[in-house]
């Protein structure tokens, strides 16, 4: 009889008597049907899309298990449940849709996982002020669908749109594929409503800007469940675009493409989608373009006249760097395939370790960071392929997204740690930031001190002030040592 | 018996749930364990002998409506998650694990050959060497005898040589509840009865029965020796060939707004989205208005996989969610007894296609 899985990273657990008592009191708050200690529920909320979770799953183990799952329905319930956990010093892990790629939802100390998906209502669409107020557990695709139905877009399309929540985006400072026009989630968020560990509910104002001291609600942006729980947010929306223009180009060298982008961003254009692929990815995604040139795909949208003007400026910039036009079909192809990640599952079944590492570069080191990281990753025994593309561009730089595939044989975990070590070292040595949008989670906590320097201490002090009993999402964002997951 | 396709099940277990937005159970419960890949992960752990079934895991893996909403976004064309879960669940019984809340319905099946219990209002039409055997299905028999009367009246009107028989359940509920042997017995009994009657065509208005006859019976070694036709296609044929000429509903206003709810099996498995609409367009006086999601992207009413019996609260919540996709003014029409039953909430009236057609003659 096999009735329990081995846990690899479990740091500790809470006394079962306390958990049972909590379960009883939680049932009075949310109803018994919304409290569960059943194995199916514990197993399904114990991990996210961190590749390590899949490696361990295949070996019959899980990173760590919660002891209880609760499903609050509204802010008030979250507040009461959190205050109760704080009183008893029971660890709490917020859970959205588990699409995080770095172990952010792994309940290292057991305790209670708050599955937030029952908080899934669009509370109001304010057409006059172009704002929407939405609960944090709503699925991204369903959020966008409701906005589209009313004639608007949320402008936020991460590749995980269909498998992530609004709260997950805010908690991880997510970036969507159309971000160059619409902004990242922190640009889109006007105000947040959140609950602190002691049950305090607070929210920001829905005005365009304030100079009334720091925006305390914005402290929660990117806090990955370590400071409190985001229960709802007011976000910017846009009328559905009048016009959309698609264009693809190829460049002889990656550097030429980067320079072209820098020029049109400097000129003030803001195409929604800007993606520049290295020659390998160009060959993979668009076989008819071959694997010797670098493809740039662009999607410009908005008011027709503005779109035409932007297209014209962009055309001048790309031509100045020797671009060859490749029509628009490749952008259509990308639009159709942009959510298809089936290759990851298939490669995993063939024994591969695949991961993506996104970092934030400036123009002066955008290309050298790519080269250095690629070289470092290819230097690890077992690595078969390292490729990259740039997306999410700014006047000051671009996000670089590296994909690495290796066939390490037996010890996949050791290989996994090795590739991350060399990649992070290369990135930090180049002066780039170690994450652009996937966040930190459990795994990248290992490099938080190098990334932030004394800034990490500031974060620790904020954490201590807001979460004195350290109940919130232990061991994430580099806050708390994870004994069983060292470099 | 069809086997679990481990490669496909693992593809799903390894996926970050890219279709979760289209899983109605997940959307109404918010429960991660019933997310498509959540169920695949649990099931894969059992299949790979890393965990034994327990009741909770079996319950989670049973939370599949068979609506195949997940296929709308799934990048694996060969993956049929509903079937992989169904075949996987069948091993639970051998391990002594079952879901006690299903016992009363399984007992009904064993005793009365219907999950609903003793059959009432049996509608047997016999005495002739009929070409068409019309199979109503347990759900219509139990919940909507009026639709059977409508069907009978339409068939009479079209002068079809048909019969209805004392029906046994098609066996689908037994399969979804993991009772493979019972499903096989019911299939064998049906096969015997159907073959004995001499009819060459079997028509059913129930998508679950249709799916069972066409796809599960061959798996159970009980392939039927009849042509099997779905109700919408059959009635469309009768109209096209001039045997039925629908008229304007005398009670209807100038133009009656009708919205068709695509039953998932007709829309995504049988790929029948045009036939029912064509029928609607042939009935005078109707204005057909599509609900928010329709055709092959339709959203489930919550009635698949016997959920109205096994998980009634979830079924009802899903139906309420689906009802929000219809305009308040529209008369909802569907072509499935489960969908009709599920959508009869919040004061809404729901007709089956046969009810609508028959009404046009009155
Ligand atoms: C295929 C795929 C593609 C992806 N593409 C992108 C992309 O294009 N852009 C991008 O930015 N990211 C991307 N990601 C990463 C991931 O989807 C995002 O980080 C997303 O924001 C996580 O949302 P979630 O609801 O799944 O959160 P979860 O994974 O459930 O949680 C993430 C973290 O946030 C915390 N959390 C969740 N909800 C709350 C809340 N309401 N309050 C407080 N804390 C909370 C959790 O505790 C955890 O630490 C991708 C992931 C996958 C699997
Ligand atoms: S059904 Fe397809 S899209 Fe859905 S979780 Fe499984 S593999 Fe992913």
């Amino acid at each position: 009889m096999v009735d329990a899985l081995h846990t690899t990273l479990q740091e500790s657990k809470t006394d079962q008597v306390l958990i049972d008592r909590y379960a009883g009191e939680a049932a009075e708050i949310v109803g018994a049907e919304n409290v569960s200690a059943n194995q199916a529920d514990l197993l399904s909320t114990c991990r996210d899309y961190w590749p390590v979770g899949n490696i361990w799953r295949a070996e019959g183990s899980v990173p760590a298990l919660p002891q209880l799952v609760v499903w609050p329905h509204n802010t008030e319930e979250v507040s009461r449940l959190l205050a109760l956990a704080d009183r008893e010093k029971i660890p709490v892990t917020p859970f959205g849709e588990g699409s995080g790629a770095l172990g952010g939802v792994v309940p290292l100390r057991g305790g209670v996982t708050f599955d937030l998906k029952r908080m899934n209502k669009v509370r109001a669409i304010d057409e006059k002020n172009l704002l929407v107020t939405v609960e944090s557990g709503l699925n991204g695709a369903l959020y966008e669908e409701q906005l589209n139905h009313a004639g608007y877009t949320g402008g936020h399309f991460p590749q995980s749109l269909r498998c992530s929540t609004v709260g997950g985006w805010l908690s991880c400072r997510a970036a969507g594929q159309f971000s160059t026009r619409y902004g990242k989630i922190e640009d889109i968020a006007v105000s947040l409503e959140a609950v602190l560990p002691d049950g305090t509910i607070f929210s920001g104002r829905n005005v365009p800007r304030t100079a009334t001291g720091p925006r305390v609600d914005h402290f929660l942006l990117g806090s990955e469940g370590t400071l409190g729980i985001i229960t709802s947010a007011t976000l910017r929306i846009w009328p559905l675009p009048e016009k959309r223009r698609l264009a693809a180009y190829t460049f002889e060298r990656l550097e030429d493409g980067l320079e072209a982008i820098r020029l049109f961003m400097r000129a003030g254009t803001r195409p929604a989608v800007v993606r520049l692929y290295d020659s390998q990815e160009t060959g993979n995604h668009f076989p008819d373009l071959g694997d010797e040139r670098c493809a740039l795909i662009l999607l410009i949208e908005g008011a027709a006249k503005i779109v035409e003007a932007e297209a014209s400026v962009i055309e001048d910039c790309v031509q100045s760097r020797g671009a060859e036009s490749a029509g628009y079909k490749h952008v259509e192809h990308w639009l159709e395939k942009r959510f298809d990640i089936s290759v990851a599952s298939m490669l995993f079944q063939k024994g591969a370790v695949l991961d993506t590492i996104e970092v934030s570069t400036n123009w002066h080191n955008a290309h050298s960071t790519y080269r250095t990281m690629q070289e470092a990753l290819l230097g690890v025994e077992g690595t078969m392929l390292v490729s990259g593309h740039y997306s999410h561009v700014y006047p000051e730089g671009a996000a670089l997204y590296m994909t690495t595939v290796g066939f390490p044989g037996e010890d996949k975990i050791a290989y996994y740690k090795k590739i991350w070590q060399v990649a992070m070292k290369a990135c930090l040595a180049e002066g780039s930031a170690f994450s652009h949008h996937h966040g930190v989670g459990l795994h990248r906590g290992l490099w938080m001190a190098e990334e932030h320097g004394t800034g990490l201490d500031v974060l620790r002090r904020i954490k201590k002030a807001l979460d004195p009993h350290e109940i919130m999402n232990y061991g994430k964002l580099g806050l708390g040592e994870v004994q069983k997951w060292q470099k | 018996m069809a086997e679990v396709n481990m490669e496909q099940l693992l593809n799903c277990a390894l996926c970050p749930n890219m279709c979760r937005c289209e899983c109605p159970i997940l959307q109404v419960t918010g429960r991660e364990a019933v997310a498509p890949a959540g169920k695949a992960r649990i099931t894969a752990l059992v299949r790979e002998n890393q965990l034994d079934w327990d009741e909770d895991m079996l319950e989670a893996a049973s939370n599949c409506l068979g609506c195949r909403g997940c296929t709308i976004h799934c990048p694996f064309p060969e993956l049929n998650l509903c079937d992989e879960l169904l075949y996987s669940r069948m091993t639970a019984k051998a391990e002594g694990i079952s879901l006690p809340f299903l016992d009363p319905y399984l007992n009904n099946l064993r005793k009365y050959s219907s999950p609903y219990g003793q059959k009432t209002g049996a509608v047997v039409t016999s005495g002739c060497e009929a070409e068409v055997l019309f199979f109503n299905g347990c759900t219509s028999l139990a919940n909507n005898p009026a639709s059977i009367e409508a069907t009978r009246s339409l068939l009479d009107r079209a002068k079809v040589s048909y019969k209805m028989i004392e029906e046994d359940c098609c066996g689908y509920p037994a399969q979804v509840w993991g009772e493979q042997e019972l499903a096989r017995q019911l299939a064998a009994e049906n096969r015997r009865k159907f073959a004995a009657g001499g009819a060459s065509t079997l028509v059913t208005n129930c998508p679950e029965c249709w799916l069972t006859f066409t796809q599960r019976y061959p798996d159970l070694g009980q392939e039927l020796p009849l042509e099997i036709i779905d109700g919408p296609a059959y009635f469309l044929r009768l109209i096209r060939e001039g045997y039925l000429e629908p008229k304007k509903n005398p009670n209807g206003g100038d133009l009656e707004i009708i919205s068709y709810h695509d039953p998932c099996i007709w829309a995504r498995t049988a790929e029948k989205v045009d036939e029912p609409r064509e029928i609607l367009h042939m009935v005078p006086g109707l204005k057909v208005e599509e609900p928010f999601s329709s055709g092959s992207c339709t959203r489930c009413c919550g009635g698949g996989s016997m959920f109205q019996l096994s998980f009634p609260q979830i079924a009802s919540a899903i139906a309420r969610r689906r009802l929000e996709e219809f305009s308040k003014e529209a008369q909802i029409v569907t072509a499935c007894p489960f969908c009709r039953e599920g959508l009869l909430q919040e004061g809404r009236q729901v007709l089956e296609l046969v009810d609508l057609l028959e009404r046009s003659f009155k």
Side-chain angles (χ1 to χ4, degrees):
Chain A
M1 172 84 185
V2 205
D3 58 7
L5 291 179
H6 169 63
T7 52
T8 41
L9 296 182
Q10 193 95 44
E11 293 271 318
S12 60
K13 283 202 167 187
T14 301
D15 183 346
Q16 196 55 42
V17 176
L18 265 185
I19 293 287
D20 292 344
R21 198 165 68 212
Y22 183 89
E25 292 186 51
E28 280 171 26
I29 298 171
V30 292
E33 69 284 11
N34 291 310
V35 178
S36 170
N38 102 31
Q39 170 146 260
D41 293 318
L42 303 186
L43 275 174
S44 59
T45 49
C46 78
R47 46 164 283 206
D48 55 10
Y49 197 58
W50 187 27
V52 166
N54 276 337
I55 297 173
W56 279 327
R57 193 212 59 80
E59 293 168 359
S61 50
V62 287
L65 285 166
Q67 292 161 277
L68 199 70
V69 183
V70 292
W71 287 268
H73 190 49
N74 56 41
T75 308
E76 185 61 32
E77 288 181 0
V78 172
S79 164
R80 292 174 66 195
L81 289 170
L82 269 185
L84 197 59
D86 197 44
R87 190 190 73 200
E88 304 292 346
K89 301 189 178 54
I90 296 174
V92 167
T93 310
F95 191 99
E97 291 195 328
S99 71
L102 293 141
V105 298
V106 175
L108 291 161
R109 289 181 164 176
V112 188
T113 285
F114 282 42
D115 190 338
L116 300 165
K117 288 190 281 290
R118 284 179 69 232
M119 299 202 298
N120 62 358
K121 283 180 283 303
V122 168
R123 286 189 191 156
I125 296 179
D126 174 351
E127 301 194 55
K128 177 95 178 175
N129 296 309
L130 284 179
L131 296 172
V132 59
T133 300
V134 55
E135 293 178 350
S136 61
L138 179 61
N139 170 277
L142 298 177
Y143 165 67
E144 180 65 16
E145 177 184 291
Q146 288 187 53
L147 290 178
N148 291 172
H149 200 45
Y152 298 93
T153 175
H156 188 73
F157 306 91
Q159 193 186 32
S160 53
L161 179 74
R162 295 171 180 156
C163 63
S164 57
T165 60
V166 173
W169 301 342
L170 294 159
S171 305
C172 299
R173 288 176 75 88
Q177 292 162 335
F178 287 44
S179 74
T180 304
R181 167 169 161 74
Y182 296 102
K184 320 310 127 175
I185 199 66
E186 71 275 14
D187 306 315
I188 296 172
V190 174
S191 75
L192 308 187
E193 174 195 79
V195 184
L196 292 181
D198 67 359
T200 305
I201 302 170
F202 70 109
S203 56
R205 309 255 329 257
N206 292 331
V207 288
R209 187 174 183 275
T210 53
T212 53
R215 283 293 299 246
V216 288
D217 54 333
H218 286 200
F219 279 177
L220 271 283
L221 283 167
S223 64
E224 301 192 20
T226 61
L227 302 179
I229 291 185
I230 298 167
T231 45
S232 80
T234 298
L235 308 176
R236 297 199 165 95
I237 55 174
W238 289 261
L240 284 168
E242 184 189 359
K243 171 144 192 171
R244 178 177 272 191
R245 228 180 125 131
L246 314 178
Y249 301 90
T250 63
F251 295 88
E252 195 181 332
R253 299 177 319 144
L254 204 49
E255 299 92 304
D256 298 329
L258 281 171
E259 186 56 12
I261 298 171
R262 189 181 75 81
L263 291 176
F264 68 64
M265 290 304 289
R266 188 182 167 95
T269 63
R270 293 294 178 270
V273 178
V274 182
R275 299 174 76 85
L276 175 67
Y277 297 93
D278 70 3
S279 54
Q280 280 186 80
E281 290 197 6
T282 300
N284 286 345
H285 294 302
F286 317 109
D288 64 305
L289 294 180
D291 59 3
E292 286 181 356
R293 292 178 67 84
C294 300
L296 168 67
I297 63 166
L298 298 171
L299 184 154
I300 314 166
E301 65 179 23
K305 286 182 184 161
I306 300 178
V307 168
E308 288 313 320
E310 286 196 312
S312 158
V313 174
I314 288 170
E315 184 70 25
D316 291 347
C317 295
V318 297
Q319 291 309 340
S320 77
R321 307 311 301 176
E324 280 177 15
S325 174
Y328 63 90
K329 289 251 154 50
H330 300 92
V331 194
E332 282 183 343
H333 173 76
W334 173 79
L335 280 168
E336 201 181 300
K337 290 281 173 196
R338 67 194 161 124
F339 298 120
D340 183 349
I341 55 150
S342 51
V343 69
S345 302
M346 294 189 292
L347 280 172
F348 185 91
Q349 289 207 53
K350 292 192 161 49
V353 171
L354 179 150
D355 210 355
T356 56
I357 304 177
E358 29 59 67
V359 301
S360 194
T361 71
N362 291 111
W363 291 121
H364 75 269
N365 61 8
H367 188 250
S368 58
T369 304
Y370 164 79
R371 276 270 165 259
T372 317
M373 286 182 71
Q374 187 179 50
E375 212 173 289
L377 286 162
L378 284 170
V380 179
E381 199 183 331
T383 302
M384 296 285 287
L385 180 150
V386 181
S387 63
H389 66 258
Y390 299 87
S391 47
H392 315 289
V393 304
Y394 310 76
E396 63 273 23
L400 165 62
Y401 192 96
M402 304 293 293
T403 298
T404 167
V405 182
F407 288 86
E410 279 301 287
D411 197 347
K412 290 183 173 169
I413 297 291
Y415 172 78
Y416 181 82
K417 285 186 170 178
K418 185 79 193 153
I419 55 168
W420 271 89
Q421 267 170 35
V422 301
M424 292 295 90
K425 192 168 166 212
C427 163
L428 291 167
E430 280 288 338
S432 295
F434 76 39
S435 174
H436 178 268
H437 56 267
H438 283 173
V440 178
L442 182 164
H443 177 49
R444 269 181 170 155
L446 301 175
W447 293 274
M448 277 293 271
E450 285 153 80
E451 171 76 26
H452 285 276
T454 47
L456 181 58
D457 193 45
V458 177
L459 189 56
R460 284 197 183 114
R461 287 192 224 173
I462 294 173
K463 164 85 173 169
K464 194 147 185 62
L466 297 185
D467 181 20
H469 301 130
E470 268 200 333
I471 64 162
M472 293 305 304
N473 210 1
Y474 179 81
K476 313 300 156 48
L477 282 187
L479 301 170
E481 214 176 321
V482 187
Q483 298 289 349
K484 295 179 182 163
W485 189 253
Q486 303 283 338
K487 282 188 197 168
Chain B
M1 187 192 112
E3 278 296 312
V4 175
N5 181 331
M6 240 359 242
E7 186 187 340
Q8 293 301 334
L9 185 66
L10 282 176
N11 274 337
C12 187
L14 290 163
C15 173
N17 269 306
M18 293 301 263
C19 62
R20 63 159 72 233
C21 50
E22 288 301 336
C23 177
I25 305 177
L26 174 66
Q27 289 311 325
V28 300
T29 61
R31 193 179 160 206
E32 195 57 26
V34 302
K39 289 176 281 209
R41 285 172 200 159
I42 288 172
T43 311
L45 284 169
V46 176
R47 299 293 309 177
E48 294 189 323
N49 297 321
Q50 287 160 349
L51 271 184
D52 291 336
W53 279 121
D54 70 15
E55 223 175 277
D56 297 329
M57 284 162 45
L58 179 63
E59 185 263 346
S62 302
N63 260 283
C64 174
L65 289 154
C67 73
R68 305 191 72 200
C70 48
T71 61
I72 296 174
H73 297 311
C74 184
F76 298 105
E78 284 167 38
L79 169 65
N80 184 334
L81 180 59
C82 157
D83 281 5
E84 301 308 344
L85 294 172
L86 186 131
Y87 299 139
S88 299
R89 292 197 300 266
M90 283 171 186
T91 60
K93 193 177 177 213
E95 292 179 24
I97 305 292
S98 62
L99 301 177
F101 59 85
L102 297 177
D103 286 348
Y105 308 119
L106 282 165
N107 288 340
N108 283 341
L109 261 181
R110 289 190 193 98
K111 201 163 163 196
Y112 304 112
S113 295
S114 164
Y116 298 95
Q118 196 151 22
K119 280 175 242 162
T120 50
V123 277
V124 182
T125 315
S126 57
C128 54
E129 278 305 302
E131 287 158 25
V132 171
L133 172 62
F134 201 96
F135 194 88
N136 293 295
C138 310
T139 305
S140 290
L141 283 166
N143 297 336
N144 193 12
S147 80
I148 299 174
E149 278 316 308
T151 304
R152 204 209 288 269
S153 166
L154 289 170
L155 295 172
D156 288 340
R157 219 177 274 282
K159 302 201 169 28
V160 174
S161 153
Y162 77 98
K163 68 175 171 183
M164 294 181 182
I165 58 173
E166 182 82 53
E167 291 180 8
D168 287 334
C169 171
C170 67
Y172 185 66
Q175 268 212 324
V176 295
W177 294 331
E179 292 284 337
Q180 184 75 341
E181 195 38 49
L182 181 56
R184 195 192 312 278
Q185 284 164 16
L186 288 163
E189 181 56 15
N190 275 324
R191 187 176 189 282
R192 189 192 60 74
K193 278 191 185 172
F194 295 170
S200 56
T201 303
L202 174 69
V203 182
T204 180
N205 274 337
C206 174
E208 303 277 24
C209 295
W210 175 88
L211 179 82
T212 307
F213 295 146
T214 55
Q215 301 188 9
R216 311 259 183 238
Y217 276 25
D219 284 351
L220 293 166
Q222 303 296 337
E223 195 152 353
L224 292 176
L226 298 87
E227 181 193 15
I228 303 160
I229 305 185
D230 57 281
Y234 186 73
F235 285 104
L236 179 61
R237 191 196 286 179
L238 292 179
I239 298 171
R240 275 192 190 148
E241 292 175 2
Y243 295 108
L244 284 176
E245 254 184 78
K247 311 226 170 21
K248 187 170 185 297
N249 171 20
N251 305 322
D254 284 349
L255 266 186
E256 190 181 4
I257 299 172
I258 296 282
S259 278
Y260 177 67
H261 163 76
D262 287 272
C264 300
I265 292 178
W266 287 154
R268 276 188 283 269
T269 306
E271 297 181 12
K272 304 265 178 192
V273 298
D274 296 335
E275 288 81 349
R277 288 177 173 76
E278 212 175 308
I279 294 179
L280 292 177
H281 284 114
M282 285 173 162
V283 179
L286 304 183
K287 180 173 176 241
V288 182
E289 196 183 271
E290 293 292 344
F292 183 72
S293 64
S294 65
S296 60
C297 293
T298 186
R299 286 187 174 142
C300 185
C301 70
S305 293
M306 305 305 298
F307 259 48
Q308 286 155 2
L309 294 186
S310 48
F311 298 100
Q313 278 152 353
I314 297 178
S316 168
I318 294 173
R320 285 196 299 277
R321 180 172 180 260
R322 173 64 174 153
L323 281 172
E324 285 170 15
E325 299 198 353
F326 290 85
S327 88
K328 295 269 177 294
E329 293 73 42
Q331 164 67 58
I332 301 174
V333 178
T334 189
C336 166
F338 293 98
C339 298
R340 175 191 163 275
E341 188 64 17
L343 296 173
L344 275 178
Q345 288 198 56
E346 323 246 294
R348 297 297 298 238
Q349 296 296 311
V350 185
L351 294 175
E352 288 209 44
L353 264 180
V354 284
D355 300 325
L356 182 91
L357 271 177
E358 175 55 15
R359 196 191 64 174
S360 85
F361 292 102
K362 291 212 170 122

